[in-house]
Amino acid sequence: MTEILISQAPWLLTAAILCLMFAQAVFARRQIGKLRAEMKQRCEDLGRELHATASGSMGIGQRVVGCERQLHELRGTLDEMRQNDPLRISYDEASRLVDLGADIDDLMNTCGISRPEAELVSALRKRQVA
């Protein structure tokens, strides 16, 4: 009987190894299936996160464009206000009158500015001419 066992040993050993390899293949297949499911879930999560990030970026971009448009409108309004500022016109007129030889009282009466303002415009204009 021991002779039969010794003669069959390579076959039994081969069968045992094949069984172990089959068990390992089944185990590996299950692990691969789990990993695939995890990878699929992770890819779906990343896709949703990417979509949310892209949507947020587009919203922020639209808000930036709106702010730039509003800033441009405000700059235009500010420039228009500066051009139509009655005080600026008064100072320009006062400067022109100083060039024509007007004194401080003339500046106050004609342009509607205070004495210190008239003196300042007169001094600045005379200094620019000198």
Side-chain angles (χ1 to χ4, degrees), residues 6-71:
I6 291 176
S7 67
Q8 296 296 324
W11 291 108
L12 291 174
L13 189 58
T14 302
I17 290 174
L18 286 175
C19 287
L20 288 174
M21 288 178 63
F22 179 75
Q24 183 183 12
V26 169
F27 180 72
R29 177 172 245 158
R30 285 183 185 166
Q31 278 188 321
I32 289 172
K34 286 180 184 178
L35 289 174
R36 277 189 182 156
E38 288 177 16
M39 290 294 284
K40 182 179 178 184
Q41 183 63 41
R42 186 66 182 145
C43 285
E44 289 173 359
D45 291 346
L46 288 173
R48 283 191 295 273
E49 289 177 16
L50 179 62
H51 178 71
T53 302
S55 297
S57 295
M58 287 175 46
I60 289 172
Q62 290 172 349
R63 290 183 68 186
V64 167
V65 168
C67 288
E68 287 177 342
R69 186 179 319 114
Q70 192 175 23
L71 178 63

Side-chain angles (χ1 to χ4, degrees), residues 88-107:
R88 184 172 186 271
I89 294 170
S90 296
Y91 291 128
D92 289 344
E93 181 67 18
S95 179
R96 189 180 65 78
L97 289 174
V98 168
D99 289 342
L100 296 174
D103 62 2
I104 293 173
D105 290 327
D106 291 335
L107 295 178

